[in-house]
Amino acid sequence: MDATDRGRLLSGAHHDPHALLGAHPVAGGVLFRVLRPWARTVAVVVNGLRTALKDTGDGLFSGVLPFDAIPEYTLSVTYGSDAYEVHDPYRFLPALGELDLHLIGEGRHEELWRALGAHPMTHEGVLGTRFTVWAPNAQGVRVSGDFCHWDGTGYPMRSLGSTGVWELFLPGIGEGTLYKFDITRPDGTHTLRADPMARRTEVPPATASVVTRSSHVWRDEEWMAYRVNRPLHEAPFSVYEVHLPSWRPGLTYRQLADQLPAYVADLGFTHVQLMPVAEHPFGGSWGYQVTGFYAPTARLGTPDDFKYLVDALHQAGIGVLVDWVPAHFPRDDWALAEFDGRPLYEHEDPARAAHPDWGTLEFDYGRREVRNFLVANAVYWCEEFHIDGLRVDAVASMLYLDYSREPGQWAPNEHGGRENLDAVAFLQEMNATVYRRNPGVVTIAEESTAWDGVTRPTDDGGLGFGMKWNMGWMHDSLVYASKDPVHRKYHHNEMTFSMVYAYSENYVLPISHDEVVHGKQSLVSKMPGDWWQQRANARAYLGFMWSHPGKQLLFMGQEFAQGAEWSEAHGPDWWLLDPAYDAEPDHRGVRNLVRDLNEVYRSEPALWERDTDPAGFAWIAGDAADDNVFAFLRFDAEGSPLLAVSNFSPVVRHEYRLGVPDDVAGWREVLNTDLTRYGGSGVCNPDPVKAESRGAHGRPTSVRLTLPPLATVWLRPA
């Protein structure tokens, strides 16, 4: 062997090890060359006959055997006193097709996970695993793992041309094998990296990738057919947000499948939203610093175990949303950062690459392969795990070049603006691809600015999301609710301003984990007054939230008025629901309310059918600041109304007159947050309320209601 080739091969810097290793016709026969470090002997086995190869040093064995053509052969390799008969990895043609390489090169491989990563398969009649990785800047790449005692010297991969993809088929390697890629950087140094496309990982803090195949048989056909029936912005959509590791600490995916679907179904939520489940090294990041974008966290089980949980939720009639984090990734030196020795997934400009808030790196959305990595990842979660929606984290940080940056720390785009045009194009491509391939799936943006067209279709210049979190409503309404009632009249517009822009996007109203952690207090603890008033305020607020245009999201623990902030270390304070502690019931009462809110909400199309249609809402009393009262109508598609009235004052308001539609003779309560079963005082309108021919609020007909203290009531035509 040429000394240069030998040196490059042994140092892991050769682009085509298959040209040197394996079997090759030469003058006088066939040359067999094998690289097996630490082997004592290597022999070629043909038709049961063994011929020893010569040890040429450094783990290389070779010999010319008198064959006219390359025969079917295996290798007999001896380590110590043990001999193993194995297939030679370097006798196989590439196991990745030309179409895959073409699509990868164009950045248009929508099923990238099927092409890259580790895939158990039968190749040329032999069982093994195909390893492929994108590392265009590498001098060479080797597969390393527990099968070779983490010495990858004997398993160099071949470059498949200009795509930057490296490939090696390893016979005999199967499911459960631990592996990483040993990459030779441009400067000749080595770095050992987890597979960016790994579909399974070790349990953190261990960081190896794991060869896996799925054997899960889905049983959610009924749900998958059902979910395409109605666009979600025109359907009931009530979301329970969950941090899986702390919902019931210690439970696996399969144990969660025994408990979570029943709990969520009992409360009447239509969907769960799971905080990020993709693998992450630091549990305290709650999953928002992802290293394994294609692998559900191994903390709770295997990928099939996670499928089992999703399947169980679907069979219970509950949709599954997951938090998806394409805005950034951590700098761990075994993961994506400078993956092959140079900036690859991150922007090559350090100022563009560094995320200013989180000490992480931002993706280079202008690089087609990186954009493909992320678009395919969104598709992957929807198709491989039957996920019904992606809540996309930190969209604002992606959209603006000057996000959290001072003047001089950023450069404008080609048009002189501050918009990140590459990120815009990526989000449009992601949304268009997900919706095209997965009918019934929804994408939801966490976007905190007034960016125009977040939920407008991409063919009309929008970003193409299905919904957007209404961060303005969340902030303003919590400011109002946290004020003492005597001061609320000065903040009345905090509750009404949201209707100025309520139809500019398709909105979700979020009371998420972000609002009940890090010193922000739980929902009930934000409220003023004594304990009774805090709970009453929280119940009135939830009633207002469920009747306001937009969908609802509530974080775990808030459904039963947990007083403490959320902690990922121990999760919700479930003991508060123990009747021995909660005799009144204080906490069970709030949970009863949430259950009834969802039940009535789902049965009343006026509360969800026209969430994105201005004709589905009308103020009755939007200016009753001195009374701390808000009253409005919601209408279903047929024009049938529901009357929602919130009294954020701690006094009973008797015979409170409100103008109502003149074609309704009477109204009856369908929900009242002050009922005693919710922990309230029991003030209500027990009988249908008759309409009177007396004008009020610009309407010729009105009703006189009893408004309970710190409460919301809903009424329907009697």
Side-chain angles (χ1 to χ4, degrees):
M1 186 190 302
D2 177 87
T4 300
D5 280 339
R6 183 185 183 100
R8 291 170 59 203
L9 179 66
L10 294 175
S11 67
H14 204 289
H15 70 286
D16 189 13
H18 289 69
L20 305 178
L21 303 176
H24 301 275
V26 295
V30 174
L31 169 66
F32 293 87
R33 185 180 290 124
V34 177
L35 176 58
R36 290 283 166 154
W38 315 113
R40 189 165 59 85
T41 66
V42 175
V44 174
V45 181
V46 179
N47 295 325
L49 298 178
R50 304 159 61 92
T51 305
L53 299 180
K54 181 181 179 180
D55 184 346
T56 60
D58 299 318
L60 284 163
F61 298 82
S62 63
V64 176
L65 304 185
F67 294 109
D68 295 333
I70 297 173
E72 290 288 328
Y73 73 97
T74 58
L75 301 174
S76 178
V77 184
T78 302
Y79 297 96
S81 60
D82 299 322
Y84 303 89
E85 188 165 338
V86 298
H87 289 279
D88 183 0
Y90 296 92
R91 76 169 179 83
F92 294 92
L93 294 170
L96 191 65
E98 290 297 324
L99 178 58
D100 287 313
L101 290 172
H102 174 74
L103 293 173
I104 291 170
E106 284 196 335
R108 289 289 183 270
H109 203 309
E110 294 177 0
E111 298 180 0
L112 189 65
W113 69 93
R114 301 189 190 279
L116 298 181
H119 288 268
M121 63 189 305
T122 299
H123 181 47
E124 297 181 15
V126 176
L127 290 173
T129 295
R130 182 194 69 201
F131 293 89
T132 44
V133 64
W134 178 60
N137 298 309
Q139 290 191 44
V141 184
R142 303 186 287 204
V143 182
S144 183
D146 57 358
F147 60 91
C148 61
H149 304 286
W150 295 100
D151 180 358
T153 304
Y155 300 98
M157 306 174 74
R158 64 178 145 206
S159 170
L160 296 181
S162 61
T163 59
V165 174
W166 301 77
E167 180 267 351
L168 181 64
F169 175 74
L170 289 183
I173 299 299
E175 188 173 4
T177 300
L178 304 183
Y179 73 98
K180 285 187 177 181
F181 294 114
D182 177 358
I183 297 173
T184 305
R185 300 182 178 104
D187 64 2
T189 61
H190 285 254
T191 180
L192 194 61
R193 298 289 174 139
D195 182 359
M197 301 294 299
R199 291 168 293 127
R200 183 181 171 190
T201 69
E202 280 190 290
V203 178
T207 59
S209 304
V210 183
V211 176
T212 189
R213 72 163 74 238
S214 178
S215 59
H216 180 76
V217 178
W218 289 97
R219 296 177 174 84
D220 62 349
E221 298 87 356
E222 184 177 347
W223 169 266
M224 296 296 282
Y226 160 80
R227 76 178 191 183
V228 303
N229 289 339
R230 184 197 294 264
L232 277 175
H233 65 276
E234 298 175 356
F237 187 78
S238 175
V239 183
Y240 182 63
E241 188 188 17
V242 177
H243 179 250
L244 284 178
S246 69
W247 184 73
R248 296 274 191 180
L251 296 189
T252 65
Y253 290 129
R254 289 184 181 266
Q255 291 167 334
L256 283 160
D258 292 335
Q259 298 187 31
L260 183 61
Y263 184 80
V264 176
D266 175 65
L267 288 181
F269 287 98
T270 66
H271 290 70
V272 293
Q273 179 174 303
L274 308 179
M275 290 171 68
V277 295
E279 194 59 271
H280 50 283
F282 176 48
S285 76
W286 312 331
Y288 289 99
Q289 295 196 4
V290 178
T291 49
F293 281 81
Y294 284 79
T297 179
R299 292 171 175 85
L300 307 182
T302 68
D304 272 6
D305 293 338
F306 180 62
K307 289 182 180 180
Y308 183 86
L309 171 59
V310 175
D311 209 344
L313 286 159
H314 283 173
Q315 291 177 59
I318 299 161
V320 181
L321 318 173
V322 296
D323 241 323
W324 187 55
V325 191
H328 64 128
F329 58 92
R331 296 174 179 265
D332 299 73
D333 60 8
W334 50 267
L336 296 182
E338 291 193 353
F339 181 75
D340 58 3
R342 290 180 181 164
L344 188 65
Y345 289 91
E346 68 271 40
H347 201 282
E348 62 182 1
D349 179 353
R352 285 280 300 273
H355 196 290
D357 290 344
W358 302 317
T360 52
L361 295 169
E362 297 184 9
F363 283 101
D364 181 0
Y365 305 108
R367 186 162 192 164
R368 62 181 181 274
E369 297 95 341
V370 174
R371 195 169 61 245
N372 191 177
F373 173 81
L374 292 171
V375 171
N377 186 242
V379 172
Y380 170 77
W381 286 101
C382 297
E383 297 187 3
E384 290 294 315
F385 293 96
H386 289 200
I387 296 303
D388 303 294
L390 302 172
R391 178 270 194 182
V392 183
D393 181 62
V395 171
S397 76
M398 302 164 64
L399 290 175
Y400 296 97
L401 295 169
D402 63 344
Y403 182 86
S404 284
R405 291 176 170 90
E406 300 298 326
Q409 296 179 334
W410 63 281
N413 62 33
E414 61 196 63
H415 305 299
R418 63 192 187 108
E419 300 81 10
N420 186 336
L421 302 179
D422 292 334
V424 171
F426 155 66
L427 291 170
Q428 290 175 324
E429 181 182 346
M430 181 277 297
N431 281 315
T433 305
V434 166
Y435 279 106
R436 171 171 50 82
R437 293 181 60 112
N438 297 277
V441 165
V442 66
T443 59
I444 304 171
E446 185 216 13
E447 203 286 307
S448 54
T449 75
W451 184 281
D452 181 47
V454 172
T455 59
R456 195 163 63 235
T458 56
D459 57 7
D460 193 25
L463 295 182
F465 284 93
M467 297 184 194
K468 170 182 171 174
W469 272 20
N470 194 335
M471 310 295 280
W473 173 89
M474 176 274 298
H475 176 268
D476 291 347
S477 64
L478 288 178
V479 167
Y480 177 88
S482 67
K483 301 298 182 183
D484 188 282
V486 73
H487 300 302
R488 282 176 173 163
K489 64 182 179 181
Y490 304 111
H491 299 271
H492 196 77
N493 67 315
E494 305 278 5
M495 293 288 264
T496 60
F497 180 67
S498 59
M499 289 311 303
V500 173
Y501 60 88
Y503 302 104
S504 61
E505 305 280 3
N506 303 335
Y507 281 117
V508 175
L509 312 180
I511 299 299
S512 72
H513 64 278
D514 275 333
E515 310 319 316
V516 296
V517 75
H518 290 332
K520 296 180 183 178
Q521 302 180 299
S522 69
L523 180 62
V524 73
S525 296
K526 297 177 191 289
M527 304 299 169
D530 59 24
W531 176 231
W532 191 95
Q533 291 176 321
Q534 284 184 307
R535 286 181 294 117
N537 273 302
R539 293 193 306 268
Y541 180 88
L542 291 172
F544 178 84
M545 173 182 175
W546 253 252
S547 53
H548 189 285
K551 312 306 182 182
Q552 303 81 37
L553 178 141
L554 190 66
F555 184 61
M556 64 184 195
Q558 312 317 301
E559 79 274 16
F560 59 85
Q562 174 175 316
E565 284 186 341
W566 169 59
S567 164
E568 77 275 6
H570 65 258
D573 292 332
W574 296 109
W575 57 272
L576 293 172
L577 295 169
D578 185 342
Y581 173 84
D582 191 37
E584 291 304 323
D586 291 359
H587 300 279
R588 285 177 294 133
V590 176
R591 189 170 66 171
N592 288 339
L593 170 65
V594 170
R595 181 186 295 112
D596 289 354
L597 281 169
N598 279 325
E599 180 181 356
V600 178
Y601 167 77
R602 294 175 77 157
S603 67
E604 295 288 349
L607 291 172
W608 45 262
E609 203 166 34
R610 300 170 81 178
D611 266 331
T612 60
D613 179 1
F617 175 92
W619 278 114
I620 292 175
D623 57 357
D626 289 339
D627 297 336
N628 295 347
V629 168
F630 304 87
F632 52 82
L633 294 164
R634 298 295 306 278
F635 299 96
D636 66 17
E638 304 300 321
S640 181
L642 181 140
L643 171 60
V645 188
S646 295
N647 175 22
F648 283 98
S649 174
V651 299
V652 180
R653 299 200 180 278
H654 297 282
E655 301 202 354
Y656 196 84
R657 188 171 294 279
L658 293 168
V660 293
D662 56 11
D663 57 350
V664 178
W667 299 78
R668 62 177 176 85
E669 276 190 6
V670 292
L671 185 127
N672 183 330
T673 68
D674 192 50
L675 296 185
T676 54
R677 69 185 301 263
Y678 306 145
S681 60
V683 175
C684 62
N685 297 273
D687 301 316
V689 180
K690 293 182 179 180
E692 302 175 7
S693 297
R694 178 174 171 180
H697 299 102
R699 298 175 181 271
T701 304
S702 63
V703 293
R704 290 176 295 162
L705 300 178
T706 298
L707 303 186
L710 299 174
T712 293
V713 295
W714 298 348
L715 300 99
R716 285 283 286 158

